[in-house]
Amino acid sequence: NEKKKSKGKRSPCSPSRVLHIRQIPNGVTGAEVVSLGLPFGKVTNLLMLRGKGQAFLEMASIDAAVSMVNYYTPATPHLHNQPVYIQYSNYKELRTDNQHNQARPQPALQCANAVQHGNLGITSALAAEGGVLPSHGSVLRIVVENVFCPVTLDILYQIFSKFGFVLKIVMFHKNNQFQALLQYADAMNAYYAKMSLDGHCIYTGCCTLRIDFSKLTNLTVKYNNDKSRDFTRIDLPFGDGQRTMEASLSTPFATQNTIFPSYTGPPGFAPALGFPQGAALGPFTVTTSAAPGHMTIPGIPGNSVLLVSNLNPEAITPYGLFILFGVYGDVHRVKIMFKKRGIALVQMADATQAQLAINYLNGQRLYGRVMHATLSKYQTIQLPREGQEDKGLTKDYSNSPLHRFKNPCSKNFQNIFPPSATLHLSNIPPSVTVDDLKNLFTSKGSTVKGFKFFQKDCKMALIQLGSVEEAVHALIELHNHDFGENQHLRVSFSKSSI
């Protein structure tokens, strides 16, 4: 119990239970600073230097402080989207009894340690901090704003499973907002995820997370599919009668590609995993200790090359695959196997788009066969060497003008839907009539069951065909169809029906 501050006598490199945190943005609460230390052990004191952007955080043990510094040194933590820096303090402990800028009890600490030790009551001191922590359960309500990039159930799982074992996720649209409910095995995980992720963007500049606690205590999941999943039950049906659960789960849960680098931090935590290109979530703690007997965290394969099989060799072309897979991401290369024409490789721009294409196209009928799409073991598609016999089966589309997702603000990100019998047509020239369009689709073998122009915009229309498979074929044939005078038709799948 040293009474004096030992200024300058200890090098800042020698470990101490007290950590000095710098460059804290204005508006960060004590609870948020405490949340940086919680994964590593109990936090015993906090001193916020308001106006200086600094704080001192005292851990219960030197081991916890060392683990925290070792973890955050290579992976700088962020508060309110700003990096903050952590080093050992010269203090061996914090004496905050008489500090003028610390006159009241430590509400953030009381709340955090209360939560950490299962006592979720509201402490009266919390009100003093201005951030009342309600007694909460393990279900979070997540609203995603500015959804200009695809947000899938698997992406949410990747992000939120870093804070604990995720049991269930349900996604839906409400009040024109993308929302999800997510249930953790433990209320502490929910609290820590909310503290760390609320206000962050999934991708740079878009898909902002707004998180609060749901009043629900338990989620009911009937189907395991793209919109809802119960990770504790593999036996649930897919729900649309088309695809089996095995097909849709085989990829997201392939664990062989998950790489956890050697790590010496606190047990049960591993360093942040790589996110898809452009992801901006910063370094978060990944808990790898899923409950025994349950599904573990799905691999984040990070591979953008797809293996597509059971194709019809008579009908399939590299261009056809480029157009179809291009609905779900920018296709850079396509290779149909020279000796096995029913198998192809498709290289997408990044891992997120590859996963999206699998979610929507695996199990889809194409030219009379049920196509299978999964991640390939290859990281890239090699172009043939000069003089190598290829018969035009390998194509490079990396500079194609037909990519739908080159512009990060493109509306195409908001209009990604599963293959459907109704197609959305756009960029229709004023001279083209209903009959012209019906005849165009009929000439390609489609049965036209319905058609309507948009009232507000005559450049756009919906056309309903005889089946989903017909619509897939028509999209491949007619996307980018040239009406003359450099007017090209744009075709995508619609969620509406006529």
Side-chain angles (χ1 to χ4, degrees):
N1 283 341
E2 294 175 322
K3 292 271 165 78
K4 296 174 185 171
K5 298 178 189 173
S6 50
K7 274 190 181 170
K9 288 186 184 167
R10 299 172 59 224
S11 109
C13 301
S14 51
S16 159
R17 287 197 299 131
V18 181
L19 300 168
H20 180 217
I21 304 172
R22 298 175 292 128
Q23 295 191 22
I24 299 169
N26 287 341
V28 168
T29 64
E32 289 172 299
V33 175
V34 169
S35 78
L36 293 174
L38 279 181
F40 304 93
K42 188 173 176 182
V43 177
T44 48
N45 216 335
L46 169 73
L47 172 60
M48 294 283 285
L49 302 178
R50 305 267 178 212
K52 288 190 174 178
Q54 299 184 30
F56 290 96
L57 188 75
E58 181 188 273
M59 302 299 288
S61 71
I62 285 205
D63 285 351
V66 170
S67 294
M68 184 171 163
V69 170
N70 287 351
Y71 178 75
Y72 286 130
T73 301
T76 310
H78 287 62
L79 291 172
H80 294 198
N81 292 325
Q82 300 291 322
V84 295
Y85 299 94
I86 298 177
Q87 64 191 49
Y88 298 116
S89 160
N90 288 333
Y91 297 112
K92 286 186 174 166
E93 64 174 341
L94 284 181
R95 306 289 300 274
T96 53
D97 342 322
N98 305 320
Q99 299 273 359
H100 59 276
N101 55 355
Q102 199 67 31
R104 46 192 170 76
Q106 296 288 312
L109 268 173
Q110 291 172 13
C111 111
N113 283 326
V115 173
Q116 199 171 29
H117 299 97
N119 163 20
L120 298 179
I122 302 171
T123 65
S124 58
L126 245 189
E129 175 84 6
V132 178
L133 176 76
S135 56
H136 65 80
S138 55
V139 179
L140 295 177
R141 186 174 73 98
I142 300 155
V143 175
V144 186
E145 297 172 353
N146 305 325
V147 186
F148 298 130
C149 297
V151 178
T152 63
L153 191 144
D154 293 311
I155 286 170
L156 288 179
Y157 187 83
Q158 280 179 27
I159 295 165
F160 282 84
S161 60
K162 301 190 171 200
F163 296 90
F165 186 54
V166 175
L167 300 181
K168 301 166 188 175
I169 302 178
V170 178
M171 301 194 318
F172 54 95
H173 274 86
K174 185 178 177 184
N175 307 331
N176 284 334
Q177 284 182 317
F178 178 104
Q179 300 196 20
L181 291 167
L182 181 144
Q183 182 176 348
Y184 278 105
D186 185 324
M188 184 58 210
N189 302 136
Y191 170 76
Y192 188 60
K194 177 189 184 310
M195 290 285 295
S196 303
L197 293 175
D198 189 24
H200 279 274
C201 296
I202 298 178
Y203 303 94
T204 310
C206 75
C207 301
T208 309
L209 295 167
R210 302 282 174 222
I211 304 169
D212 52 35
F213 296 108
S214 168
K215 295 185 178 72
L216 297 171
T217 53
N218 187 36
L219 298 182
T220 307
V221 175
K222 293 179 183 170
Y223 303 113
N224 278 337
N225 56 27
D226 301 334
K227 295 282 176 271
S228 63
R229 209 166 291 168
D230 182 337
F231 294 95
T232 64
R233 292 191 54 194
I234 305 185
D235 55 315
L236 291 177
F238 190 82
D240 66 0
Q242 283 186 4
R243 295 187 275 178
T244 63
M245 191 51 203
E246 184 188 10
S248 64
L249 268 186
S250 58
T251 315
F253 294 97
T255 47
Q256 72 273 16
N257 295 323
T258 311
I259 301 160
F260 291 110
S262 58
Y263 173 65
T264 56
F269 287 89
L273 292 182
F275 265 82
Q277 196 178 3
L281 266 161
F284 287 123
T285 319
V286 186
T287 166
T288 52
S289 52
H294 285 302
M295 237 179 256
T296 50
I297 294 177
I300 302 170
N303 193 1
S304 55
V305 180
L306 303 173
L307 174 68
V308 186
S309 56
N310 202 35
L311 297 168
N312 182 335
E314 308 297 316
I316 201 66
T317 63
Y319 178 79
L321 290 170
F322 164 67
I323 293 295
L324 178 58
F325 280 77
V327 173
Y328 301 107
D330 292 338
V331 176
H332 284 193
R333 290 180 180 177
V334 178
K335 180 185 188 75
I336 292 175
M337 299 301 186
F338 190 74
K339 292 186 174 165
K340 292 183 178 174
R341 301 286 171 96
I343 297 174
L345 296 173
V346 177
Q347 185 172 336
M348 308 295 286
D350 61 43
T352 314
Q353 295 180 1
Q355 191 60 61
L356 211 57
I358 289 171
N359 289 353
Y360 286 115
L361 293 175
N362 180 41
Q364 177 55 53
R365 287 184 72 81
L366 180 64
Y367 304 122
R369 295 193 179 187
V370 177
M371 170 172 61
H372 299 301
T374 182
L375 286 167
S376 163
K377 64 182 180 186
Y378 298 105
Q379 296 284 335
T380 181
I381 293 176
Q382 298 292 329
L383 294 175
R385 296 186 301 279
E386 264 187 63
Q388 191 180 352
E389 191 186 12
D390 178 68
K391 294 193 175 167
L393 294 175
T394 306
K395 295 282 187 190
D396 183 56
Y397 294 105
S398 48
N399 294 317
S400 168
L402 296 189
H403 288 163
R404 295 178 190 239
F405 303 102
K406 271 193 300 214
N407 177 357
C409 297
S410 165
K411 282 190 175 169
N412 292 331
F413 283 112
Q414 299 167 56
N415 295 312
I416 295 177
F417 302 111
S420 58
T422 306
L423 295 172
H424 179 276
L425 311 180
S426 59
N427 216 28
I428 303 167
S431 57
V432 173
T433 65
V434 175
D435 285 344
D436 291 337
L437 286 163
K438 285 184 175 176
N439 292 340
L440 177 64
F441 277 81
T442 310
S443 73
K444 300 295 182 186
S446 301
T447 321
V448 178
K449 292 199 161 180
F451 184 94
K452 74 169 183 192
F453 273 108
F454 280 61
Q455 283 177 325
K456 290 180 187 171
D457 187 350
C458 293
K459 290 182 183 173
M460 296 202 285
L462 293 176
I463 188 165
Q464 189 173 345
L465 304 182
S467 68
V468 176
E469 188 177 2
E470 265 190 32
V472 170
H473 299 167
L475 180 135
I476 290 172
E477 288 280 322
L478 292 172
H479 179 64
N480 203 44
H481 172 79
D482 191 353
F483 288 114
E485 293 175 31
N486 208 16
Q487 300 269 359
H488 293 269
L489 180 67
R490 297 186 63 79
V491 185
S492 49
F493 297 115
S494 172
K495 65 174 178 194
S496 315
S497 52
I498 298 172

